Amino acid sequence: EILTATQDSTTFNEAHWLKRVRYTDDTAVNELEIGGRNLIRNSNFRFGLSYWNNNEAPSVIVESDPIYINHVKVVATGLGQGLYTYPLRTAWKKYSFSVYLKADSPMTVHFSHEYGDGSIYCNVTTEWQRFTSTGIWRGAGALCLYAQGAGTFYIANVQYEEGDKATDWTPAPEDVEAEIDSAKQEALTAASDAQSTADSLKNFTDV
């Protein structure tokens, strides 16, 4: 129990104190599982469609996005068309998965956790929305985003993480490392090109 003073007093007056029962059941907190590490490679399509597969959609295009940097535009002409990927995961563990979706006109997209729990049908509108779910994965299948009919929809910042709470999107550590390696290579290439240009100018002036 906790005593809380309801008004100032120089002497103890029981009427000036409020007794409350302290919440002591921490079960929900103790059982909460939080992952945070994104288990999907190229989850924001920085590297085009690497690690993603097209399931019969006639048009899948990576475009720049003012909010999420990149998104994928999927033009579907029928049921079951869209993208799927294979997260880096372990069977019989609980995972949370999330995605940002919007469409040219309202439509339904199936966020499918194949051979696992938690698959959901997303009522997608013309504004970006985040859809999240949680479920145990049993060891086969993919994570899929499939149209439930003809329409154009957009995918951004997909996340798949261990635990039962979806956290803010972050890239997979492997993608961060790939980004660093790419920047290093670009710097080395630029330095090499600069040196070649300098050597060419020197040779020209020496003639």
mmCIF file of all heavy atoms in Angstrom, residues 157-201:
data_model
loop_
_atom_site.group_PDB
_atom_site.id
_atom_site.type_symbol
_atom_site.label_atom_id
_atom_site.label_comp_id
_atom_site.label_asym_id
_atom_site.label_seq_id
_atom_site.Cartn_x
_atom_site.Cartn_y
_atom_site.Cartn_z
ATOM 1 N N ASN A 157 9.515 -0.312 -45.653
ATOM 2 C CA ASN A 157 10.023 -0.603 -44.302
ATOM 3 C C ASN A 157 9.388 -1.840 -43.663
ATOM 4 O O ASN A 157 8.661 -1.755 -42.667
ATOM 5 C CB ASN A 157 9.837 0.618 -43.402
ATOM 6 C CG ASN A 157 10.842 1.712 -43.697
ATOM 7 O OD1 ASN A 157 11.528 1.675 -44.718
ATOM 8 N ND2 ASN A 157 10.939 2.685 -42.816
ATOM 9 N N VAL A 158 9.711 -2.985 -44.220
ATOM 10 C CA VAL A 158 9.221 -4.252 -43.675
ATOM 11 C C VAL A 158 10.149 -4.680 -42.530
ATOM 12 O O VAL A 158 11.369 -4.539 -42.625
ATOM 13 C CB VAL A 158 9.196 -5.344 -44.759
ATOM 14 C CG1 VAL A 158 8.426 -6.567 -44.261
ATOM 15 C CG2 VAL A 158 8.587 -4.812 -46.053
ATOM 16 N N GLN A 159 9.566 -5.175 -41.452
ATOM 17 C CA GLN A 159 10.383 -5.621 -40.317
ATOM 18 C C GLN A 159 9.898 -6.977 -39.816
ATOM 19 O O GLN A 159 8.700 -7.245 -39.759
ATOM 20 C CB GLN A 159 10.323 -4.599 -39.177
ATOM 21 C CG GLN A 159 11.152 -4.990 -37.957
ATOM 22 C CD GLN A 159 12.037 -3.877 -37.440
ATOM 23 O OE1 GLN A 159 12.729 -3.222 -38.214
ATOM 24 N NE2 GLN A 159 12.016 -3.643 -36.145
ATOM 25 N N TYR A 160 10.874 -7.813 -39.436
ATOM 26 C CA TYR A 160 10.586 -9.137 -38.881
ATOM 27 C C TYR A 160 11.574 -9.336 -37.746
ATOM 28 O O TYR A 160 12.787 -9.311 -37.957
ATOM 29 C CB TYR A 160 10.781 -10.200 -39.961
ATOM 30 C CG TYR A 160 10.258 -11.571 -39.614
ATOM 31 C CD1 TYR A 160 8.984 -11.960 -39.987
ATOM 32 C CD2 TYR A 160 11.054 -12.489 -38.930
ATOM 33 C CE1 TYR A 160 8.502 -13.231 -39.687
ATOM 34 C CE2 TYR A 160 10.581 -13.756 -38.628
ATOM 35 C CZ TYR A 160 9.305 -14.120 -39.016
ATOM 36 O OH TYR A 160 8.829 -15.381 -38.716
ATOM 37 N N GLU A 161 11.067 -9.506 -36.528
ATOM 38 C CA GLU A 161 11.945 -9.531 -35.358
ATOM 39 C C GLU A 161 11.460 -10.548 -34.342
ATOM 40 O O GLU A 161 10.275 -10.867 -34.259
ATOM 41 C CB GLU A 161 12.018 -8.151 -34.725
ATOM 42 C CG GLU A 161 10.657 -7.590 -34.328
ATOM 43 C CD GLU A 161 10.697 -6.095 -34.071
ATOM 44 O OE1 GLU A 161 11.514 -5.670 -33.235
ATOM 45 O OE2 GLU A 161 9.908 -5.359 -34.698
ATOM 46 N N GLU A 162 12.386 -11.031 -33.559
ATOM 47 C CA GLU A 162 12.047 -12.005 -32.540
ATOM 48 C C GLU A 162 11.296 -11.330 -31.396
ATOM 49 O O GLU A 162 11.605 -10.200 -31.013
ATOM 50 C CB GLU A 162 13.322 -12.674 -32.008
ATOM 51 C CG GLU A 162 13.074 -13.884 -31.131
ATOM 52 C CD GLU A 162 14.347 -14.627 -30.775
ATOM 53 O OE1 GLU A 162 15.311 -14.544 -31.567
ATOM 54 O OE2 GLU A 162 14.372 -15.272 -29.715
ATOM 55 N N GLY A 163 10.291 -12.033 -30.839
ATOM 56 C CA GLY A 163 9.529 -11.491 -29.721
ATOM 57 C C GLY A 163 8.101 -11.167 -30.092
ATOM 58 O O GLY A 163 7.662 -11.384 -31.223
ATOM 59 N N ASP A 164 7.353 -10.642 -29.120
ATOM 60 C CA ASP A 164 5.931 -10.372 -29.350
ATOM 61 C C ASP A 164 5.595 -8.886 -29.358
ATOM 62 O O ASP A 164 4.439 -8.508 -29.190
ATOM 63 C CB ASP A 164 5.069 -11.096 -28.307
ATOM 64 C CG ASP A 164 5.509 -10.803 -26.877
ATOM 65 O OD1 ASP A 164 6.268 -9.832 -26.663
ATOM 66 O OD2 ASP A 164 5.099 -11.548 -25.977
ATOM 67 N N LYS A 165 6.591 -8.030 -29.587
ATOM 68 C CA LYS A 165 6.339 -6.596 -29.692
ATOM 69 C C LYS A 165 7.056 -6.037 -30.914
ATOM 70 O O LYS A 165 8.276 -6.183 -31.049
ATOM 71 C CB LYS A 165 6.810 -5.849 -28.441
ATOM 72 C CG LYS A 165 6.577 -4.341 -28.511
ATOM 73 C CD LYS A 165 6.957 -3.653 -27.224
ATOM 74 C CE LYS A 165 6.857 -2.135 -27.334
ATOM 75 N NZ LYS A 165 5.510 -1.704 -27.773
ATOM 76 N N ALA A 166 6.289 -5.409 -31.811
ATOM 77 C CA ALA A 166 6.883 -4.780 -32.993
ATOM 78 C C ALA A 166 7.522 -3.456 -32.590
ATOM 79 O O ALA A 166 6.869 -2.600 -31.996
ATOM 80 C CB ALA A 166 5.815 -4.554 -34.057
ATOM 81 N N THR A 167 8.791 -3.293 -32.900
ATOM 82 C CA THR A 167 9.506 -2.064 -32.574
ATOM 83 C C THR A 167 9.664 -1.217 -33.836
ATOM 84 O O THR A 167 9.285 -1.629 -34.936
ATOM 85 C CB THR A 167 10.887 -2.372 -31.975
ATOM 86 O OG1 THR A 167 11.669 -3.090 -32.951
ATOM 87 C CG2 THR A 167 10.753 -3.229 -30.725
ATOM 88 N N ASP A 168 10.220 -0.015 -33.685
ATOM 89 C CA ASP A 168 10.438 0.863 -34.829
ATOM 90 C C ASP A 168 11.357 0.193 -35.847
ATOM 91 O O ASP A 168 12.281 -0.542 -35.487
ATOM 92 C CB ASP A 168 11.056 2.184 -34.386
ATOM 93 C CG ASP A 168 10.090 3.035 -33.564
ATOM 94 O OD1 ASP A 168 8.862 2.772 -33.633
ATOM 95 O OD2 ASP A 168 10.556 3.947 -32.867
ATOM 96 N N TRP A 169 11.119 0.499 -37.117
ATOM 97 C CA TRP A 169 11.900 -0.118 -38.169
ATOM 98 C C TRP A 169 13.372 0.266 -38.074
ATOM 99 O O TRP A 169 13.725 1.424 -37.823
ATOM 100 C CB TRP A 169 11.374 0.297 -39.540
ATOM 101 C CG TRP A 169 12.216 -0.257 -40.652
ATOM 102 C CD1 TRP A 169 12.097 -1.488 -41.228
ATOM 103 C CD2 TRP A 169 13.332 0.370 -41.280
ATOM 104 N NE1 TRP A 169 13.077 -1.658 -42.183
ATOM 105 C CE2 TRP A 169 13.846 -0.533 -42.227
ATOM 106 C CE3 TRP A 169 13.948 1.619 -41.124
ATOM 107 C CZ2 TRP A 169 14.944 -0.231 -43.026
ATOM 108 C CZ3 TRP A 169 15.051 1.920 -41.904
ATOM 109 C CH2 TRP A 169 15.531 1.011 -42.851
ATOM 110 N N THR A 170 14.232 -0.722 -38.276
ATOM 111 C CA THR A 170 15.668 -0.520 -38.433
ATOM 112 C C THR A 170 16.152 -1.488 -39.502
ATOM 113 O O THR A 170 15.560 -2.555 -39.686
ATOM 114 C CB THR A 170 16.457 -0.787 -37.130
ATOM 115 O OG1 THR A 170 16.154 -2.115 -36.671
ATOM 116 C CG2 THR A 170 16.107 0.218 -36.055
ATOM 117 N N PRO A 171 17.216 -1.160 -40.211
ATOM 118 C CA PRO A 171 17.733 -2.106 -41.205
ATOM 119 C C PRO A 171 18.417 -3.284 -40.531
ATOM 120 O O PRO A 171 18.864 -3.189 -39.383
ATOM 121 C CB PRO A 171 18.741 -1.255 -41.996
ATOM 122 C CG PRO A 171 19.189 -0.209 -41.029
ATOM 123 C CD PRO A 171 17.979 0.104 -40.187
ATOM 124 N N ALA A 172 18.522 -4.394 -41.233
ATOM 125 C CA ALA A 172 19.270 -5.541 -40.732
ATOM 126 C C ALA A 172 20.735 -5.145 -40.591
ATOM 127 O O ALA A 172 21.254 -4.379 -41.407
ATOM 128 C CB ALA A 172 19.128 -6.724 -41.692
ATOM 129 N N PRO A 173 21.425 -5.649 -39.575
ATOM 130 C CA PRO A 173 22.852 -5.328 -39.408
ATOM 131 C C PRO A 173 23.669 -5.647 -40.654
ATOM 132 O O PRO A 173 24.614 -4.928 -40.989
ATOM 133 C CB PRO A 173 23.272 -6.199 -38.224
ATOM 134 C CG PRO A 173 22.019 -6.422 -37.449
ATOM 135 C CD PRO A 173 20.930 -6.496 -38.470
ATOM 136 N N GLU A 174 23.297 -6.713 -41.369
ATOM 137 C CA GLU A 174 24.015 -7.073 -42.590
ATOM 138 C C GLU A 174 23.884 -5.986 -43.656
ATOM 139 O O GLU A 174 24.816 -5.750 -44.434
ATOM 140 C CB GLU A 174 23.484 -8.396 -43.139
ATOM 141 C CG GLU A 174 23.723 -9.597 -42.237
ATOM 142 C CD GLU A 174 22.630 -9.793 -41.195
ATOM 143 O OE1 GLU A 174 21.764 -8.907 -41.040
ATOM 144 O OE2 GLU A 174 22.640 -10.849 -40.539
ATOM 145 N N ASP A 175 22.711 -5.317 -43.694
ATOM 146 C CA ASP A 175 22.515 -4.237 -44.660
ATOM 147 C C ASP A 175 23.329 -3.008 -44.288
ATOM 148 O O ASP A 175 23.837 -2.296 -45.159
ATOM 149 C CB ASP A 175 21.027 -3.877 -44.750
ATOM 150 C CG ASP A 175 20.223 -4.952 -45.457
ATOM 151 O OD1 ASP A 175 20.828 -5.769 -46.180
ATOM 152 O OD2 ASP A 175 18.987 -4.982 -45.281
ATOM 153 N N VAL A 176 23.438 -2.746 -42.988
ATOM 154 C CA VAL A 176 24.265 -1.624 -42.538
ATOM 155 C C VAL A 176 25.716 -1.860 -42.943
ATOM 156 O O VAL A 176 26.396 -0.963 -43.456
ATOM 157 C CB VAL A 176 24.161 -1.446 -41.006
ATOM 158 C CG1 VAL A 176 25.131 -0.374 -40.531
ATOM 159 C CG2 VAL A 176 22.735 -1.086 -40.608
ATOM 160 N N GLU A 177 26.182 -3.092 -42.741
ATOM 161 C CA GLU A 177 27.560 -3.443 -43.116
ATOM 162 C C GLU A 177 27.757 -3.325 -44.623
ATOM 163 O O GLU A 177 28.790 -2.835 -45.099
ATOM 164 C CB GLU A 177 27.874 -4.864 -42.650
ATOM 165 C CG GLU A 177 29.309 -5.284 -42.855
ATOM 166 C CD GLU A 177 30.289 -4.476 -42.034
ATOM 167 O OE1 GLU A 177 29.920 -4.030 -40.927
ATOM 168 O OE2 GLU A 177 31.431 -4.272 -42.503
ATOM 169 N N ALA A 178 26.756 -3.764 -45.386
ATOM 170 C CA ALA A 178 26.838 -3.670 -46.844
ATOM 171 C C ALA A 178 26.879 -2.214 -47.287
ATOM 172 O O ALA A 178 27.587 -1.869 -48.245
ATOM 173 C CB ALA A 178 25.638 -4.382 -47.482
ATOM 174 N N GLU A 179 26.129 -1.359 -46.592
ATOM 175 C CA GLU A 179 26.131 0.068 -46.903
ATOM 176 C C GLU A 179 27.513 0.663 -46.657
ATOM 177 O O GLU A 179 28.023 1.465 -47.463
ATOM 178 C CB GLU A 179 25.091 0.780 -46.037
ATOM 179 C CG GLU A 179 24.765 2.198 -46.444
ATOM 180 C CD GLU A 179 23.763 2.278 -47.570
ATOM 181 O OE1 GLU A 179 22.790 1.516 -47.558
ATOM 182 O OE2 GLU A 179 23.986 3.107 -48.466
ATOM 183 N N ILE A 180 28.134 0.285 -45.550
ATOM 184 C CA ILE A 180 29.477 0.776 -45.224
ATOM 185 C C ILE A 180 30.481 0.302 -46.268
ATOM 186 O O ILE A 180 31.316 1.077 -46.757
ATOM 187 C CB ILE A 180 29.893 0.297 -43.819
ATOM 188 C CG1 ILE A 180 29.019 0.968 -42.753
ATOM 189 C CG2 ILE A 180 31.371 0.595 -43.558
ATOM 190 C CD1 ILE A 180 29.218 0.410 -41.363
ATOM 191 N N ASP A 181 30.386 -0.977 -46.624
ATOM 192 C CA ASP A 181 31.302 -1.524 -47.629
ATOM 193 C C ASP A 181 31.128 -0.819 -48.971
ATOM 194 O O ASP A 181 32.116 -0.552 -49.681
ATOM 195 C CB ASP A 181 31.062 -3.027 -47.802
ATOM 196 C CG ASP A 181 31.495 -3.831 -46.587
ATOM 197 O OD1 ASP A 181 32.253 -3.285 -45.760
ATOM 198 O OD2 ASP A 181 31.058 -4.996 -46.460
ATOM 199 N N SER A 182 29.871 -0.530 -49.321
ATOM 200 C CA SER A 182 29.600 0.162 -50.576
ATOM 201 C C SER A 182 30.191 1.571 -50.571
ATOM 202 O O SER A 182 30.785 2.014 -51.566
ATOM 203 C CB SER A 182 28.083 0.238 -50.811
ATOM 204 O OG SER A 182 27.789 0.967 -51.984
ATOM 205 N N ALA A 183 30.056 2.260 -49.442
ATOM 206 C CA ALA A 183 30.616 3.611 -49.330
ATOM 207 C C ALA A 183 32.139 3.584 -49.421
ATOM 208 O O ALA A 183 32.754 4.444 -50.064
ATOM 209 C CB ALA A 183 30.183 4.239 -48.010
ATOM 210 N N LYS A 184 32.755 2.565 -48.794
ATOM 211 C CA LYS A 184 34.215 2.426 -48.867
ATOM 212 C C LYS A 184 34.658 2.198 -50.309
ATOM 213 O O LYS A 184 35.638 2.786 -50.773
ATOM 214 C CB LYS A 184 34.671 1.260 -47.993
ATOM 215 C CG LYS A 184 34.622 1.516 -46.496
ATOM 216 C CD LYS A 184 35.086 0.290 -45.733
ATOM 217 C CE LYS A 184 35.066 0.526 -44.236
ATOM 218 N NZ LYS A 184 35.477 -0.701 -43.479
ATOM 219 N N GLN A 185 33.937 1.325 -51.008
ATOM 220 C CA GLN A 185 34.298 1.023 -52.387
ATOM 221 C C GLN A 185 34.142 2.248 -53.273
ATOM 222 O O GLN A 185 34.977 2.505 -54.163
ATOM 223 C CB GLN A 185 33.434 -0.124 -52.916
ATOM 224 C CG GLN A 185 33.841 -0.609 -54.304
ATOM 225 C CD GLN A 185 35.283 -1.056 -54.361
ATOM 226 O OE1 GLN A 185 35.731 -1.860 -53.548
ATOM 227 N NE2 GLN A 185 36.048 -0.517 -55.303
ATOM 228 N N GLU A 186 33.086 3.021 -53.052
ATOM 229 C CA GLU A 186 32.882 4.242 -53.828
ATOM 230 C C GLU A 186 34.015 5.233 -53.578
ATOM 231 O O GLU A 186 34.489 5.908 -54.506
ATOM 232 C CB GLU A 186 31.534 4.872 -53.467
ATOM 233 C CG GLU A 186 30.332 4.098 -53.989
ATOM 234 C CD GLU A 186 29.016 4.700 -53.547
ATOM 235 O OE1 GLU A 186 29.044 5.774 -52.899
ATOM 236 O OE2 GLU A 186 27.961 4.111 -53.830
ATOM 237 N N ALA A 187 34.447 5.325 -52.327
ATOM 238 C CA ALA A 187 35.550 6.233 -51.998
ATOM 239 C C ALA A 187 36.845 5.775 -52.662
ATOM 240 O O ALA A 187 37.609 6.596 -53.191
ATOM 241 C CB ALA A 187 35.723 6.299 -50.481
ATOM 242 N N LEU A 188 37.100 4.463 -52.637
ATOM 243 C CA LEU A 188 38.305 3.936 -53.269
ATOM 244 C C LEU A 188 38.278 4.158 -54.779
ATOM 245 O O LEU A 188 39.291 4.509 -55.398
ATOM 246 C CB LEU A 188 38.444 2.446 -52.969
ATOM 247 C CG LEU A 188 38.802 2.076 -51.526
ATOM 248 C CD1 LEU A 188 38.701 0.564 -51.325
ATOM 249 C CD2 LEU A 188 40.213 2.550 -51.180
ATOM 250 N N THR A 189 37.104 3.961 -55.372
ATOM 251 C CA THR A 189 36.957 4.165 -56.814
ATOM 252 C C THR A 189 37.186 5.627 -57.178
ATOM 253 O O THR A 189 37.873 5.937 -58.159
ATOM 254 C CB THR A 189 35.564 3.719 -57.282
ATOM 255 O OG1 THR A 189 35.391 2.336 -56.977
ATOM 256 C CG2 THR A 189 35.400 3.945 -58.769
ATOM 257 N N ALA A 190 36.608 6.531 -56.366
ATOM 258 C CA ALA A 190 36.784 7.959 -56.623
ATOM 259 C C ALA A 190 38.247 8.366 -56.496
ATOM 260 O O ALA A 190 38.762 9.147 -57.300
ATOM 261 C CB ALA A 190 35.925 8.762 -55.647
ATOM 262 N N ALA A 191 38.939 7.819 -55.491
ATOM 263 C CA ALA A 191 40.358 8.130 -55.298
ATOM 264 C C ALA A 191 41.190 7.616 -56.466
ATOM 265 O O ALA A 191 42.118 8.288 -56.946
ATOM 266 C CB ALA A 191 40.846 7.528 -53.990
ATOM 267 N N SER A 192 40.844 6.398 -56.926
ATOM 268 C CA SER A 192 41.564 5.821 -58.058
ATOM 269 C C SER A 192 41.345 6.632 -59.326
ATOM 270 O O SER A 192 42.289 6.883 -60.090
ATOM 271 C CB SER A 192 41.100 4.377 -58.272
ATOM 272 O OG SER A 192 41.732 3.796 -59.385
ATOM 273 N N ASP A 193 40.092 7.067 -59.536
ATOM 274 C CA ASP A 193 39.789 7.882 -60.716
ATOM 275 C C ASP A 193 40.530 9.210 -60.652
ATOM 276 O O ASP A 193 41.050 9.705 -61.674
ATOM 277 C CB ASP A 193 38.283 8.138 -60.814
ATOM 278 C CG ASP A 193 37.517 6.873 -61.157
ATOM 279 O OD1 ASP A 193 38.148 5.889 -61.582
ATOM 280 O OD2 ASP A 193 36.280 6.870 -60.973
ATOM 281 N N ALA A 194 40.577 9.801 -59.463
ATOM 282 C CA ALA A 194 41.275 11.086 -59.298
ATOM 283 C C ALA A 194 42.765 10.931 -59.588
ATOM 284 O O ALA A 194 43.387 11.785 -60.230
ATOM 285 C CB ALA A 194 41.057 11.618 -57.889
ATOM 286 N N GLN A 195 43.349 9.807 -59.113
ATOM 287 C CA GLN A 195 44.764 9.561 -59.351
ATOM 288 C C GLN A 195 45.039 9.338 -60.830
ATOM 289 O O GLN A 195 46.037 9.824 -61.379
ATOM 290 C CB GLN A 195 45.223 8.347 -58.551
ATOM 291 C CG GLN A 195 46.719 8.073 -58.632
ATOM 292 C CD GLN A 195 47.533 9.222 -58.079
ATOM 293 O OE1 GLN A 195 47.298 9.680 -56.963
ATOM 294 N NE2 GLN A 195 48.492 9.715 -58.870
ATOM 295 N N SER A 196 44.148 8.631 -61.500
ATOM 296 C CA SER A 196 44.310 8.395 -62.933
ATOM 297 C C SER A 196 44.256 9.693 -63.709
ATOM 298 O O SER A 196 45.034 9.902 -64.658
ATOM 299 C CB SER A 196 43.220 7.438 -63.430
ATOM 300 O OG SER A 196 43.335 6.169 -62.820
ATOM 301 N N THR A 197 43.318 10.575 -63.297
ATOM 302 C CA THR A 197 43.206 11.870 -63.955
ATOM 303 C C THR A 197 44.466 12.698 -63.737
ATOM 304 O O THR A 197 44.994 13.339 -64.658
ATOM 305 C CB THR A 197 41.987 12.637 -63.410
ATOM 306 O OG1 THR A 197 40.807 11.870 -63.658
ATOM 307 C CG2 THR A 197 41.853 13.995 -64.080
ATOM 308 N N ALA A 198 44.975 12.679 -62.507
ATOM 309 C CA ALA A 198 46.198 13.416 -62.187
ATOM 310 C C ALA A 198 47.379 12.886 -62.986
ATOM 311 O O ALA A 198 48.195 13.651 -63.515
ATOM 312 C CB ALA A 198 46.477 13.331 -60.691
ATOM 313 N N ASP A 199 47.494 11.558 -63.114
ATOM 314 C CA ASP A 199 48.585 10.950 -63.872
ATOM 315 C C ASP A 199 48.489 11.321 -65.353
ATOM 316 O O ASP A 199 49.506 11.592 -66.010
ATOM 317 C CB ASP A 199 48.553 9.432 -63.716
ATOM 318 C CG ASP A 199 48.921 8.980 -62.311
ATOM 319 O OD1 ASP A 199 49.495 9.802 -61.560
ATOM 320 O OD2 ASP A 199 48.605 7.816 -61.969
ATOM 321 N N SER A 200 47.253 11.343 -65.872
ATOM 322 C CA SER A 200 47.062 11.688 -67.274
ATOM 323 C C SER A 200 47.463 13.123 -67.546
ATOM 324 O O SER A 200 48.109 13.443 -68.546
ATOM 325 C CB SER A 200 45.587 11.485 -67.680
ATOM 326 O OG SER A 200 45.224 10.126 -67.552
ATOM 327 N N LEU A 201 47.118 14.029 -66.625
ATOM 328 C CA LEU A 201 47.495 15.430 -66.775
ATOM 329 C C LEU A 201 49.004 15.597 -66.699
ATOM 330 O O LEU A 201 49.593 16.404 -67.457
ATOM 331 C CB LEU A 201 46.791 16.259 -65.688
ATOM 332 C CG LEU A 201 45.283 16.431 -65.829
ATOM 333 C CD1 LEU A 201 44.707 17.153 -64.600
ATOM 334 C CD2 LEU A 201 44.956 17.237 -67.095
#
